[in-house]
Amino acid sequence: MNQDETYDAIVVGTGISGGWAAKELTENGLKTLILERGRMVEHIKDYPTMNDDPWDFPYKGELSSDDKKKYHVQSRVNWAPKDDNKHFFVNDLEHPYVETKRFDWIRGYQVGGRSLTWGRQSYRWSDIDFEANKKENIGVDWPVRYKDIAPWYDKVEEYIGVSGQNLGLKQLPDGKYQPAMKLNCVEEAFQKATSEKFDDGRLVTIGRAAHITDPDAKFEGRNTCQNRNRCSRGCPFGGYFSSNSSTLPAAERTENMTLRPNSIVYEVIYDDATKLATGVKVIDAETHEKLEFNAKVIFLCASAMASVGILLQSKSERFPNGLGNDSDALGRGIMHHHYKLGATAKVDGYLG
Ligand code: SF4
């Protein structure tokens, strides 16, 4: 075991939450080590297909039969991966998992994680959501309500840029939005038909998406979305929010960040004497060397599944069942990313 480096803070993972943790910790003066299990992906430089056109892909963007084998699990979810963005998804043959029933699991092992390929839909929870557990007597009541979280929604929306329409709805609170994108002509017709057919206040509105739409807005190193619809390849304009275009460069500017790709964290070190988590154990994905890094503060931002996996593997005299797992609930109720919630339709006409 190769000892060791000490930091003020360690962040595990560089996706949306890891990038934010990196930005906040470094901007507050903490020397912070950011560990990412996958390879380096640098904004713009490492987006190989960002400017390719449909005719640049031999299968019109679909996967070849060889690639269909490599991505046979993730391809069950229709939007991912395709020929133009497959380099941002794990190879299912190299990263298999056991399914007792179908479980669609999309993973991106690289700096930026799935912030490069996410759907960018960004909604505020309302008190209907925060109170649902209590009302339906499921699990434990949230210790916070909308008013506690609202200032943080403001902060995040203003920093990442979210476009959308404020409508004063109780189920979808208003936010600090960039101008809403326009509905297309079919969507406009659907909106009109919905308001005419229903008199119960039902409405159709554009999605709230993490894209910059205000041409006068100032975002460090990012520009207005050009509506090119090539987002999951990485965007050279920084039109949508990703860790790579936004929070990680912000952390880097502080000179307090040490970013270490190819670093697989497998355990949080817990000191039974001091009763504190003191560091993490890492395998270097390239050299297979085992390493330890120490810090006073450790943030696990390795996605719902991997963060739980790391905690379960972090066994000590005090926590023989995994770190913090006195209740034995750890790993038994994981809420992972949901995919493809919605509906699509083909509509004839509207050609002119
Ligand atoms: S310009 Fe907008 S639509 Fe085009 S790739 Fe960037 S974020 Fe996506």
Side-chain angles (χ1 to χ4, degrees), residues 1-17:
M1 190 73 78
N2 201 339
Q3 304 286 328
D4 86 8
E5 292 172 42
T6 299
Y7 295 84
D8 295 324
I10 291 172
V11 176
V12 182
T14 56
I16 288 177
S17 57

Side-chain angles (χ1 to χ4, degrees), residues 130 133-134 137-143:
F130 285 109
N133 285 16
K134 189 171 184 203
N137 205 17
I138 294 171
V140 275
D141 185 19
W142 282 91

Side-chain angles (χ1 to χ4, degrees), residues 194-258:
T194 303
S195 65
E196 283 167 2
K197 280 221 164 69
F198 298 99
D199 58 6
D200 56 1
R202 212 174 293 205
L203 57 83
V204 173
T205 183
I206 191 78
R208 296 174 179 176
H211 288 246
I212 301 170
T213 53
D214 178 357
D216 297 325
K218 298 272 179 291
F219 285 82
E220 181 95 37
R222 298 177 59 202
N223 288 299
T224 315
C225 172
Q226 312 290 304
N227 297 89
R228 309 181 322 147
N229 198 21
R230 296 173 177 181
C231 316
S232 65
R233 304 177 190 180
C235 177
F237 301 94
Y240 73 95
F241 168 78
S242 67
S243 301
N244 311 59
S245 67
S246 181
T247 43
L248 290 175
E252 190 168 30
R253 285 193 290 274
T254 67
E255 299 184 3
N256 286 328
M257 175 174 82
T258 303

Side-chain angles (χ1 to χ4, degrees), residues 76-96:
R76 296 185 308 209
V77 178
N78 202 20
W79 59 264
K82 303 283 188 221
D83 205 22
D84 61 351
N85 63 10
K86 64 189 179 194
H87 40 281
F88 292 145
F89 296 90
V90 300
N91 180 332
D92 289 324
L93 300 175
E94 290 172 1
H95 300 279

Side-chain angles (χ1 to χ4, degrees), residues 55-74:
W55 48 87
D56 294 317
F57 299 99
Y59 309 105
K60 294 186 179 167
E62 295 302 318
L63 295 174
S64 68
S65 48
D66 266 1
D67 281 340
K68 279 184 183 151
K69 288 179 199 147
K70 283 187 202 154
Y71 302 103
H72 69 282
V73 177
Q74 293 162 104

Side-chain angles (χ1 to χ4, degrees), residues 106-131:
I106 291 194
R107 289 167 287 171
Y109 291 169
Q110 65 258 331
V111 167
R114 286 174 302 174
S115 79
L116 286 165
T117 56
W118 70 307
R120 306 172 302 288
Q121 293 296 305
S122 306
Y123 299 94
R124 292 182 175 220
W125 271 22
S126 72
D127 272 333
I128 298 171
D129 305 297
F130 285 109
E131 288 165 7

